[in-house]
Amino acid sequence: MPLPTPLRLGLVGTGRIGTAHARVIAEQVPGAVLAAVADARPGAAAPLADAYDAVAFDVPQALIDSPDVDAVVITASSTAHSDLITAVAGAGKPVFCEKPASMTLAEMDRALAAVEAAGTTLQVGFNRRFDAGFVAAHAAVVAGDLGQVQLMRSLTRDPGLANPAAVPPWTVFTQTLIHDFDALLWLNPGASPVEVYATADALVAPDFKDAGLLDTAVVVITFDDGARAVAEASFSAAYGYDVRAEVFGSAGMVTVGDGARSSARFSTSRGAHHDTARGDVELMGEAYAGELREFVAAVREDREPAVTGRDARRALAVALACVESVQAHAPVAVTEARAVTR
Amino acid sequence: MPLPTPLRLGLVGTGRIGTAHARVIAEQVPGAVLAAVADARPGAAAPLADAYDAVAFDVPQALIDSPDVDAVVITASSTAHSDLITAVAGAGKPVFCEKPASMTLAEMDRALAAVEAAGTTLQVGFNRRFDAGFVAAHAAVVAGDLGQVQLMRSLTRDPGLANPAAVPPWTVFTQTLIHDFDALLWLNPGASPVEVYATADALVAPDFKDAGLLDTAVVVITFDDGARAVAEASFSAAYGYDVRAEVFGSAGMVTVGDGARSSARFSTSRGAHHDTARGDVELMGEAYAGELREFVAAVREDREPAVTGRDARRALAVALACVESVQAHAPVAVTEARAVTR
Amino acid sequence: MPLPTPLRLGLVGTGRIGTAHARVIAEQVPGAVLAAVADARPGAAAPLADAYDAVAFDVPQALIDSPDVDAVVITASSTAHSDLITAVAGAGKPVFCEKPASMTLAEMDRALAAVEAAGTTLQVGFNRRFDAGFVAAHAAVVAGDLGQVQLMRSLTRDPGLANPAAVPPWTVFTQTLIHDFDALLWLNPGASPVEVYATADALVAPDFKDAGLLDTAVVVITFDDGARAVAEASFSAAYGYDVRAEVFGSAGMVTVGDGARSSARFSTSRGAHHDTARGDVELMGEAYAGELREFVAAVREDREPAVTGRDARRALAVALACVESVQAHAPVAVTEARAVTR
Amino acid sequence: MPLPTPLRLGLVGTGRIGTAHARVIAEQVPGAVLAAVADARPGAAAPLADAYDAVAFDVPQALIDSPDVDAVVITASSTAHSDLITAVAGAGKPVFCEKPASMTLAEMDRALAAVEAAGTTLQVGFNRRFDAGFVAAHAAVVAGDLGQVQLMRSLTRDPGLANPAAVPPWTVFTQTLIHDFDALLWLNPGASPVEVYATADALVAPDFKDAGLLDTAVVVITFDDGARAVAEASFSAAYGYDVRAEVFGSAGMVTVGDGARSSARFSTSRGAHHDTARGDVELMGEAYAGELREFVAAVREDREPAVTGRDARRALAVALACVESVQAHAPVAVTEARAVTR
């Protein structure tokens, strides 16, 4: 169906991921245009705005309030996410927020309340749900093809750790593994996480261990249906960005993620090889487009998007329990009550 | 860079492939809009035009002449292609034409002359050149990673033959294998085909053999550098659309095409399996977008596109030599001279 | 080199794995013959002995003492292993023992002392070390191709749980995952396990949970070099026997195990699929042959075999720490001291 | 079942393949021993005979006549094969002969007649029929899982051409592709080849083209059921020994052959890779063992082996038609009549 006018999106935050989203909006999301770009750092918005013929703002709130902006995409620093969600909701506009939607459950609850009060839409950036492989895996689980879920795996390995000094201590859980937590919860629908055991270390950049940086982590999640899931992360994969998952059930298994850049397979005197995707944008490019298409569709159809603020809260609760588990050097319960009162 | 105004594309032909291109233009080609749709069948253009808020024409020439159309995409029936190219060139506009650009070399030469006289642009729809796997293979050949090319393979297997009665006799060469011929010529740059041996049969729909329909074919091409290439086609692959290629050289090999729908791999009591792409649009979706992005870029940058009319002529010469080879039941030379005088 | 006379092997234990070993000895191990078979159950040895023209014994000690037996292969029930090792060592003969070599560290130490006192040879049946994929992975680790080991994975999934009532409570750790523990220790040479966290449940046969049967388990091992390993087991894989491993280091990764029965890949209207190995003997057949060839070679060359009793003790220490971890619902240290005093 | 005495095999020919077969007999074929080795070159048999504690003969006929030899394995030069088959048959003993069993159809017919007159057994060394992947493919064809066979592919690429001067002119057809011809005939049971078109060149060692050496070839076979098969060979694959096949039918496809040395898959900064088998013995090791096990079983059970002299004659007829096709530069019929009168 023809759409009478494109949805005018405002983007807040012009870092690496903001730049990637801007490009996706311009090139891969029909029915939407990048109308405005804001960044709290003076002058930072202009280059990206110019590149896409959008209006630049130095004050995010001004973009949020602009009558030329229909909906807002938040790609600012993680600590600013929940306040920005609250601000956009306050303006009565739909909001797409990169993960993590919040750094604490209390802030998350305030943001969720603001969205609910405004009767508007919040989608959070768990892009794996839009990857064709993850979609096929989820469909198989939902269809019962794998039987009762018993064992799960998910991993995220990032190709590089450019600036260890700039990485907040618990990033491996709140920003990296939160992707895996959301994927695992989504792939075991109907079940809830009841306990986590987490262990983490500084193996990639050991010099930063004293500063609290943990770059390698393993998490075991126990669900209330008995299923166990293992999530694993590293900040330095020599071979590129690596995202994989596996669901093993009583009737079978599905694995997702091959990291291949294309179908080309080379054989030479050194053996057989294929190229691997180097970064998240390359590996998950179609998923980045898919999540923004879903956001635009949900706004137009005035419905709840495929990934909600409640989903983000659930994944965050697991991430925060992991932090506690590392601190306690013990398994830790994941309870709604405890989570809410943090 | 921001593009001041989108390129307004006119689409001629609203069949299956025209509909697919319209969707690609609307959803995946930045900097272009589908401004007009024409179909020589009265009333046929309207539904597709309406779906994308474009203007409908019942007379292709009217679309070609419209001041609201900057460039034309031809997806009409194959026999109409070369005349339409000539008409668009006559209007001084750039043209993208689905393969085959022509059914005879004489018509092809007329169309090429018209394009050259108008100083405009012609791109032909050999979409494999825009598939990531084929691109990687070509890059390896050009870089010399495979050494001297010695043996090549290419195949096309279509999942279904809906209406055998509607398929012209030599379609397997002029419309299906022409994709493979272009890919093979592209993957052995610097070499020219000197001879073909072709054999074909009606194995899928034997009842239509008397009517001249050939649905299964094998072709051996000999190049002037000694390399041999095998191209193979079938009109009925039970498992879906299948496009693959292989280049074997003195230093190694590359294979392209795995047919996988996603990275999901399932294991059940019946073994391990993954889903395969069912149709060309699913399998080659990104390549369809890539070729139209290239066309828009070539028009904007006023340069020759990645796939030219001369490329189309070379592939057509091979296809027509195959027809002769089947008729002669013998290998047949592929010569420019002979080809020109056909 | 021609071997003047074949090594005469005596086999103790005629269950499933004993039968498999007998066949391997007869068909795949040059330089050895199956000379004798014993089973403590009266009459049980005869059928297998007859099948291979070997002498049957109802008393294992009689086989051990027989002058017609040069070396002994123990495939009796796990609880009898360490006493049998001690007995064979007492007779001054080389011994190959299926894993686990013992059920407690104290018994293991007695058996090791007996072997050492006799100056004879003990090899334990960790067959993964003889699988071509595991061998290639180990070689890459040792060569430093993967850099510093940081994250590891290993899993064992058995296709069926025929008789849950017959499975001792901690089998998942002491008999199944002990394979994974040995593989992980071998694949991270130079490092030692310092802590384990284990969680287990009865998901396959929940009715037997009260009887103590645990059929699903996940273990996290922390090494003294900071590396974390995850081992995972299930007693019921719908798709067949599944053995895989992964080593991720600072310079790269290796994965092992594809479960494919052959190189045949089928594509039909249901997609693409390949058959998977149904049982351990099918999947690990070459490795079963390889470990017995190694045993025969070690005996002939009067040298230590590739898998020693000390290796078995290390894997057992991890398995027993897992039992403690499940009981304590907490991570547990793996120390030599504690282990020895159990 | 216990075998009272091992079958005593005599081996004629101690070149590369004879040495490989000797090792297979000693290490992988239960119920048989290498009792004698002969080579027409004086002194050539001794080293191999000594290595396996066998008796050496300088005169093949003496080995054939020896009362200590129950059956004979022929691995001499190809031109000697058919006379040796005739000689062994004359002694009334079973014979296993490496491919090609003969260089002409007339000689082949004399050898077949001698075998038939003696009422003994002849198996020819088409080892692909014993590769697990080929076996699975054949089973699927026979079971009708692929429907009506329409298109087939088979290829052989050898990793090296050590001494081009020593290679007879038509070797690519009579010694290399004959493997592919047998496999293709076996994989399309019930159908007969009616025509071949072959093209060949000297691309690997062009300096030897004038001497008649052809190192690269492509063959198209047309069967009487309409199926087309393509066979392809090269004498120099940079990445190792490569044997693959594909059968495409009305209901689906099977592909065989992945060239992988093990299940280990490495990922590093250069991408993902796995090692490939370097030579035929490495790639086809299990198949070499399988064919000799089958020979021993057929002899013991006094039955026809899985690959007969008639099979060898059929494959030879195709190879010889290929030679004619290259000479005629045209497709050539494959007929029994013509073949017999050559």
Side-chain angles (χ1 to χ4, degrees):
Chain A
M1 283 295 296
L3 302 169
T5 55
L7 191 71
R8 297 167 302 174
L9 300 178
L11 181 79
V12 179
T14 61
R16 191 181 68 87
I17 202 68
T19 303
H21 277 305
R23 188 167 180 272
V24 166
I25 292 167
E27 298 187 3
Q28 297 184 268
V29 182
V33 294
L34 184 64
V37 176
D39 197 300
R41 295 167 297 171
L48 195 62
D50 289 353
Y52 294 100
D53 211 22
V55 180
F57 290 89
D58 280 349
V59 179
Q61 188 65 46
L63 177 148
I64 291 167
D65 293 335
S66 166
D68 297 327
V69 167
D70 300 321
V72 178
V73 174
I74 301 175
T75 54
S77 68
S78 297
T79 50
H81 284 181
S82 62
D83 283 351
L84 284 166
I85 294 171
T86 303
V88 179
K93 295 181 180 177
V95 57
F96 175 98
C97 185
E98 257 305 314
K99 52 87 227 169
S102 171
M103 300 301 279
T104 71
L105 289 168
E107 288 173 9
M108 184 80 240
D109 289 335
R110 277 196 294 277
L112 289 176
V115 169
E116 190 171 2
T120 189
T121 297
L122 168 61
Q123 182 177 337
V124 179
F126 292 122
N127 56 59
R128 288 176 203 186
R129 298 203 192 189
F130 299 90
D131 171 83
F134 279 79
V135 167
H138 183 255
V141 170
V142 170
D145 294 347
L146 308 182
Q148 177 67 28
V149 174
Q150 297 173 343
L151 288 164
M152 308 174 78
R153 301 170 140 196
S154 179
L155 69 74
T156 304
R157 294 180 186 152
D158 211 271
L161 181 59
N163 185 6
V167 179
W170 301 109
T171 292
V172 75
F173 296 115
T174 56
Q175 303 222 38
T176 301
L177 281 166
I178 203 165
H179 270 304
D180 301 83
F181 300 149
D182 177 68
L184 291 166
L185 296 176
W186 180 57
L187 289 168
N188 192 11
S192 293
V194 291
E195 186 179 282
V196 300
Y197 169 75
T199 178
D201 212 332
L203 302 181
V204 175
D207 293 350
F208 291 83
K209 189 169 184 177
D210 290 344
L213 176 60
L214 299 169
D215 50 43
T216 305
V218 172
V219 175
V220 181
I221 304 171
T222 302
F223 286 83
D224 59 3
D225 62 353
R228 263 67 167 188
V230 176
E232 179 206 296
S234 165
F235 283 176
S236 184
Y239 52 91
Y241 200 73
D242 191 2
V243 166
R244 281 180 279 159
E246 179 171 313
V247 181
F248 170 85
S250 56
M253 168 178 74
V254 61
T255 63
V256 178
D258 59 9
R261 184 182 266 171
S262 80
S263 70
R265 295 291 180 268
F266 299 92
S267 296
T268 68
S269 58
R270 296 191 311 273
H273 74 275
H274 64 84
D275 291 337
T276 45
R278 302 310 308 173
D280 57 345
V281 173
E282 183 182 16
L283 185 69
M284 306 299 285
E286 277 302 297
Y288 276 118
E291 66 179 358
L292 286 170
R293 288 183 193 133
E294 163 66 7
F295 176 61
V296 170
V299 170
R300 287 194 177 282
E301 297 163 16
D302 196 22
R303 61 165 170 82
E304 190 161 81
V307 192
T308 67
R310 289 187 306 283
D311 292 328
R313 191 189 191 284
R314 294 183 79 209
L316 179 63
V318 174
L320 295 175
C322 288
V323 173
E324 276 193 34
S325 176
V326 170
Q327 291 171 326
H329 192 66
V332 163
V334 182
T335 63
E336 286 299 310
R338 188 187 59 77
V340 169
T341 58
R342 277 181 64 90
Chain B
M1 283 294 297
L3 302 169
T5 56
L7 191 72
R8 298 167 301 176
L9 299 177
L11 181 78
V12 179
T14 61
R16 192 182 67 87
I17 202 67
T19 303
H21 277 305
R23 189 167 179 270
V24 166
I25 292 166
E27 297 187 3
Q28 297 184 268
V29 182
V33 294
L34 185 63
V37 176
D39 198 300
R41 297 167 296 173
L48 195 62
D50 288 353
Y52 294 100
D53 210 21
V55 180
F57 291 88
D58 279 350
V59 179
Q61 188 67 45
L63 178 147
I64 291 167
D65 293 334
S66 166
D68 296 326
V69 167
D70 301 321
V72 178
V73 174
I74 300 174
T75 54
S77 68
S78 296
T79 50
H81 285 181
S82 61
D83 283 352
L84 284 166
I85 293 172
T86 302
V88 179
K93 294 182 180 177
V95 57
F96 176 98
C97 184
E98 257 304 315
K99 54 85 223 171
S102 171
M103 301 301 278
T104 71
L105 289 167
E107 287 171 9
M108 184 81 239
D109 288 336
R110 277 196 295 276
L112 289 177
V115 169
E116 188 171 3
T120 189
T121 297
L122 168 61
Q123 181 177 338
V124 179
F126 293 122
N127 56 59
R128 290 178 200 185
R129 298 202 193 191
F130 300 89
D131 171 82
F134 279 80
V135 166
H138 183 255
V141 169
V142 169
D145 294 348
L146 308 182
Q148 177 68 28
V149 174
Q150 296 173 342
L151 288 165
M152 309 175 78
R153 299 170 141 196
S154 179
L155 69 74
T156 305
R157 295 181 186 152
D158 210 272
L161 180 59
N163 184 5
V167 180
W170 301 109
T171 291
V172 74
F173 297 115
T174 57
Q175 305 224 38
T176 301
L177 281 166
I178 203 164
H179 270 303
D180 302 84
F181 301 149
D182 177 68
L184 292 166
L185 296 175
W186 180 59
L187 289 168
N188 192 12
S192 294
V194 291
E195 187 179 283
V196 300
Y197 169 75
T199 179
D201 212 333
L203 302 180
V204 175
D207 292 350
F208 291 83
K209 189 170 184 177
D210 290 344
L213 175 60
L214 299 168
D215 50 44
T216 304
V218 172
V219 176
V220 181
I221 304 172
T222 302
F223 287 83
D224 58 4
D225 62 353
R228 262 68 167 188
V230 175
E232 179 205 295
S234 166
F235 283 176
S236 183
Y239 52 91
Y241 200 73
D242 191 3
V243 166
R244 282 181 278 160
E246 178 171 312
V247 181
F248 170 84
S250 56
M253 167 178 76
V254 62
T255 63
V256 178
D258 58 10
R261 185 182 266 173
S262 80
S263 70
R265 296 289 180 270
F266 299 92
S267 296
T268 68
S269 59
R270 295 192 311 275
H273 74 277
H274 64 85
D275 290 338
T276 46
R278 302 311 306 174
D280 57 346
V281 173
E282 183 183 16
L283 185 68
M284 306 300 285
E286 276 303 296
Y288 276 118
E291 65 179 359
L292 286 171
R293 287 183 193 133
E294 163 66 8
F295 176 61
V296 170
V299 169
R300 287 194 177 282
E301 298 164 15
D302 195 21
R303 61 166 171 81
E304 190 161 83
V307 191
T308 68
R310 289 186 307 282
D311 292 328
R313 190 188 192 284
R314 293 183 79 208
L316 179 63
V318 174
L320 295 174
C322 288
V323 173
E324 278 193 31
S325 176
V326 171
Q327 291 171 324
H329 193 66
V332 163
V334 182
T335 63
E336 287 298 310
R338 187 187 59 76
V340 169
T341 59
R342 278 181 64 89
Chain C
M1 284 295 298
L3 301 170
T5 56
L7 192 71
R8 298 167 303 175
L9 300 178
L11 181 79
V12 179
T14 61
R16 193 182 66 87
I17 202 69
T19 304
H21 278 304
R23 188 167 180 272
V24 165
I25 292 166
E27 298 186 3
Q28 296 183 270
V29 182
V33 294
L34 184 63
V37 176
D39 197 302
R41 297 167 296 173
L48 195 61
D50 289 353
Y52 293 101
D53 210 22
V55 180
F57 291 88
D58 279 349
V59 179
Q61 188 65 45
L63 177 147
I64 291 167
D65 293 334
S66 167
D68 296 327
V69 166
D70 301 320
V72 179
V73 174
I74 301 173
T75 54
S77 69
S78 297
T79 50
H81 284 181
S82 61
D83 283 351
L84 284 166
I85 293 173
T86 302
V88 179
K93 294 181 180 178
V95 57
F96 175 98
C97 185
E98 258 304 316
K99 53 87 222 171
S102 172
M103 300 302 279
T104 70
L105 289 168
E107 287 172 10
M108 184 82 239
D109 288 336
R110 278 195 295 276
L112 289 177
V115 169
E116 190 171 2
T120 190
T121 297
L122 168 61
Q123 181 176 338
V124 180
F126 292 123
N127 56 59
R128 290 177 201 185
R129 297 204 193 189
F130 300 90
D131 171 82
F134 279 79
V135 167
H138 182 255
V141 169
V142 169
D145 294 349
L146 308 182
Q148 177 67 28
V149 173
Q150 297 173 343
L151 288 165
M152 309 175 77
R153 302 171 140 195
S154 180
L155 69 74
T156 304
R157 294 181 186 151
D158 211 272
L161 181 58
N163 184 6
V167 180
W170 301 109
T171 292
V172 74
F173 297 115
T174 57
Q175 304 223 40
T176 301
L177 281 166
I178 203 165
H179 270 304
D180 302 82
F181 300 149
D182 177 69
L184 291 166
L185 295 176
W186 180 58
L187 289 168
N188 192 11
S192 294
V194 291
E195 187 179 282
V196 300
Y197 169 75
T199 178
D201 212 333
L203 302 181
V204 174
D207 293 350
F208 291 82
K209 188 171 185 177
D210 290 344
L213 176 60
L214 300 168
D215 52 42
T216 305
V218 172
V219 175
V220 181
I221 304 172
T222 302
F223 287 83
D224 59 3
D225 61 352
R228 263 69 168 186
V230 176
E232 178 205 296
S234 166
F235 282 176
S236 183
Y239 53 91
Y241 199 72
D242 191 2
V243 167
R244 281 181 277 159
E246 178 170 312
V247 181
F248 170 84
S250 56
M253 168 178 75
V254 61
T255 64
V256 178
D258 59 10
R261 185 181 268 174
S262 80
S263 69
R265 296 288 180 271
F266 299 91
S267 296
T268 68
S269 58
R270 298 192 308 274
H273 74 276
H274 63 86
D275 290 338
T276 46
R278 302 310 308 174
D280 56 345
V281 174
E282 183 182 17
L283 185 68
M284 306 300 284
E286 277 302 297
Y288 276 118
E291 66 180 359
L292 286 171
R293 287 183 193 132
E294 163 66 8
F295 177 60
V296 171
V299 170
R300 287 193 177 283
E301 298 164 15
D302 195 22
R303 60 164 171 81
E304 189 160 83
V307 191
T308 68
R310 289 187 306 284
D311 292 330
R313 191 189 191 284
R314 294 182 80 206
L316 179 63
V318 174
L320 295 175
C322 288
V323 173
E324 277 194 31
S325 176
V326 170
Q327 291 171 325
H329 193 66
V332 164
V334 182
T335 63
E336 286 299 310
R338 187 187 59 76
V340 168
T341 58
R342 279 181 64 88
Chain D
M1 283 297 296
L3 302 169
T5 55
L7 191 71
R8 297 167 302 174
L9 300 178
L11 181 79
V12 179
T14 61
R16 192 181 68 86
I17 201 68
T19 303
H21 277 305
R23 188 167 180 272
V24 165
I25 291 166
E27 299 186 3
Q28 297 183 269
V29 182
V33 294
L34 185 63
V37 176
D39 197 300
R41 295 167 299 170
L48 194 63
D50 289 353
Y52 294 100
D53 211 22
V55 180
F57 289 89
D58 279 350
V59 179
Q61 187 66 44
L63 178 147
I64 292 166
D65 293 335
S66 166
D68 297 327
V69 166
D70 300 321
V72 178
V73 174
I74 300 173
T75 54
S77 68
S78 297
T79 50
H81 284 181
S82 62
D83 283 351
L84 285 165
I85 293 172
T86 303
V88 179
K93 295 181 180 176
V95 56
F96 176 98
C97 186
E98 258 303 315
K99 53 87 225 171
S102 172
M103 301 301 279
T104 71
L105 289 168
E107 287 172 10
M108 184 80 239
D109 288 336
R110 276 195 295 275
L112 289 176
V115 169
E116 190 171 2
T120 189
T121 298
L122 168 61
Q123 181 177 338
V124 180
F126 292 123
N127 56 59
R128 289 178 201 185
R129 298 204 193 189
F130 300 90
D131 172 82
F134 279 80
V135 167
H138 182 255
V141 169
V142 169
D145 294 348
L146 307 182
Q148 176 68 27
V149 174
Q150 296 173 343
L151 289 165
M152 309 176 78
R153 300 170 139 195
S154 179
L155 69 75
T156 304
R157 294 180 186 153
D158 211 271
L161 182 58
N163 184 7
V167 181
W170 301 108
T171 292
V172 74
F173 297 115
T174 57
Q175 304 222 39
T176 302
L177 281 166
I178 203 164
H179 270 304
D180 301 82
F181 300 149
D182 177 67
L184 292 166
L185 296 176
W186 180 58
L187 289 168
N188 192 12
S192 295
V194 291
E195 186 179 283
V196 300
Y197 169 76
T199 178
D201 212 332
L203 302 181
V204 175
D207 293 350
F208 291 82
K209 189 170 183 177
D210 290 345
L213 176 61
L214 300 168
D215 51 43
T216 304
V218 173
V219 175
V220 181
I221 303 172
T222 302
F223 287 83
D224 60 3
D225 61 353
R228 262 67 167 189
V230 176
E232 179 206 295
S234 166
F235 282 177
S236 183
Y239 53 92
Y241 200 73
D242 191 3
V243 166
R244 282 181 277 159
E246 178 171 312
V247 181
F248 170 84
S250 56
M253 167 178 76
V254 61
T255 64
V256 177
D258 58 10
R261 184 182 268 174
S262 80
S263 70
R265 294 291 180 269
F266 300 92
S267 296
T268 68
S269 58
R270 296 192 310 274
H273 74 276
H274 64 85
D275 291 338
T276 46
R278 302 311 306 173
D280 56 347
V281 174
E282 183 181 17
L283 185 69
M284 307 299 285
E286 277 303 297
Y288 276 117
E291 66 179 358
L292 285 171
R293 287 183 194 134
E294 163 66 8
F295 177 61
V296 171
V299 170
R300 287 195 177 282
E301 298 163 16
D302 195 22
R303 62 165 169 81
E304 189 161 83
V307 191
T308 67
R310 289 186 306 283
D311 292 328
R313 191 189 191 283
R314 293 182 80 207
L316 180 63
V318 174
L320 296 174
C322 288
V323 173
E324 277 193 33
S325 176
V326 171
Q327 291 172 325
H329 193 66
V332 163
V334 182
T335 63
E336 287 300 310
R338 186 187 60 77
V340 169
T341 60
R342 277 182 65 87

